[in-house]
Amino acid sequence: ELKKKNPSSYSLALWYNMIGKQKDALSWLEKAFANPNPGFAAVNNNPNFENLRSEPIFQNIIKKLGLSKYQKSN
């Protein structure tokens, strides 16, 4: 993804999170928020970001998007 001319910030956030680099993932999510693609609002429901939901940066992005807090279904 990093080798692409215009890498997807959202994809990079996902990949960094998957390899355990949460700080990098949050940084890329902030970049993705600055220039979101049409499906970016789904970030709140993406299970791949479960471990980031308690992070203030993640919560701030959700708040800026005007989304409610994620609620896990039983």
Side-chain angles (χ1 to χ4, degrees):
E1 190 69 34
L2 285 171
K3 293 180 181 180
K4 291 181 179 178
K5 184 178 179 181
N6 294 314
S8 165
S9 299
Y10 186 81
S11 292
L12 287 168
L14 185 59
W15 286 111
Y16 274 108
N17 194 48
M18 291 172 81
I19 62 171
K21 295 191 173 198
Q22 286 83 12
K23 287 184 181 182
D24 291 322
L26 289 165
S27 177
W28 282 105
L29 277 177
E30 287 184 305
K31 291 174 186 172
F33 174 75
N35 190 19
N37 64 33
F40 183 72
V43 67
N44 198 29
N45 295 321
N46 188 328
N48 294 305
F49 293 121
E50 179 69 32
N51 64 317
L52 300 179
R53 294 193 202 294
S54 63
E55 295 291 331
I57 292 171
F58 189 90
Q59 292 175 358
N60 192 37
I61 290 170
I62 299 307
K63 184 178 179 180
K64 286 180 186 176
L65 287 169
L67 301 173
S68 60
K69 289 185 178 181
Y70 174 77
Q71 295 181 4
K72 232 181 199 180
S73 59
N74 294 330

